[in-house]
Amino acid sequence: HWLYGASPPPCVLLHFVCVAPGQRSRILPMQLFGAWSAGADVLSGRLRTDGRRSPPPNTTAVVGRRLLALADATYESPLAPRPWPQLNALHAALGGLAELAGRVAVLPALDCGGVLDGFLEPGRLPSRCFWHVHAHRAPHWRRAAPGVRCVFRATCGEAVAPPSELEAALQANSAAAAPTLRVDLSRFDAGGDAAAAAASSAAEAVRSLLDELTGVPVVLLRLTLPEAPADGAQPPIDPAVLRRAHPGLERAASRFRDSCPELLDRSKTRRRECTNFC
């Protein structure tokens, strides 16, 4: 997988194998590598089991979608690898906020420079669970310096957007900088005035996302979760914390889990690390 971005490439990609069923699992890497057009679905169509052509997927949805992305998990500012439980919790909060606001959550880009067929550290994340995107293969990557970013091999369809779509949207709206919201969920259990202040600050940020920023194409999010234990075994976010940030956030996070469970429940012990099927 990491060879896809090499230049010159040592191989030619003829057919996708060892990826999850469904064409979304194949469209995602083509989007990441700059080799996909939304109109391709319209041209190809899909053959149903009864021999008739089914309507193509909704290709207009990728044009002008309102995005919500982690500010520190983009091509230009990638997220440092971390254990699955922490990534699960991060996605739960991001996906819930996106669902609540009627936006599309952007898959985080992790920094995986120098990783080939090994593990992303810290967290010991198998590199085979990710698509490796090289700087010169990403058409909308504005970063001048070389680098490699890893994007989880998600199959959630239109529930999530690739970081390549985020970069394209930022370019299209370059005249106006994307606003950045800070949502701190880490101090709700501090007790007393500190907990009340934290809840009030988070609620105000969510209100801004739902009201003032409704028509903004891209909103970036600086999200702080409760501190993880030393062993990295971050527990799921307490539903009470989500409700204090917004009464509907717990239900929104649950809806996101239903549409994209693989981003919220990845565990080596339960053999749910990757969506790859071989």
Side-chain angles (χ1 to χ4, degrees), residues 20-94:
Q23 70 173 357
R24 285 304 312 175
S25 64
R26 291 148 176 82
I27 291 175
L28 172 62
M30 295 171 73
Q31 290 174 318
L32 295 173
F33 301 148
W36 182 257
S37 168
D41 276 332
V42 177
L43 294 174
S44 64
R46 289 186 295 172
L47 193 64
R48 304 195 315 196
T49 55
D50 59 6
R52 293 183 297 169
R53 287 194 178 277
S54 62
N58 183 0
T59 56
T60 59
V62 301
V63 179
R65 295 198 291 184
R66 296 184 306 135
L67 305 177
L68 183 66
L70 295 176
D72 295 322
T74 65
Y75 278 163
E76 293 199 27
S77 180
L79 185 70
R82 56 202 62 199
W84 286 130
Q86 294 182 30
L87 291 176
N88 293 341
L90 201 61
H91 278 129
L94 172 65

Side-chain angles (χ1 to χ4, degrees), residues 101-124:
R103 291 180 176 270
V104 180
V106 177
L107 289 168
L110 277 64
D111 189 351
C112 58
V115 179
L116 301 181
D117 283 330
F119 295 87
L120 282 64
E121 298 290 1
R124 200 160 180 78

Side-chain angles (χ1 to χ4, degrees), residues 144-172:
V148 184
R149 304 293 181 255
C150 276
V151 180
F152 185 69
R153 296 187 176 197
T155 60
C156 307
E158 294 177 359
V160 294
S164 52
E165 185 177 335
L166 169 65
E167 296 299 329
L170 291 173
Q171 279 193 3

Side-chain angles (χ1 to χ4, degrees), residues 4-9 33 133-139 141 143 145-148:
Y4 296 163
S7 182
F33 301 148
V133 185
H134 294 238
H136 60 277
R137 293 295 186 195
W141 194 339
R143 185 183 178 93
V148 184

Side-chain angles (χ1 to χ4, degrees), residues 7 16 19 57 71 78 83 122 134 174 195 231-232 239 247 259 275:
S7 182
F16 280 108
V19 295
H134 294 238
S174 58
D231 60 2
S259 63
T275 57

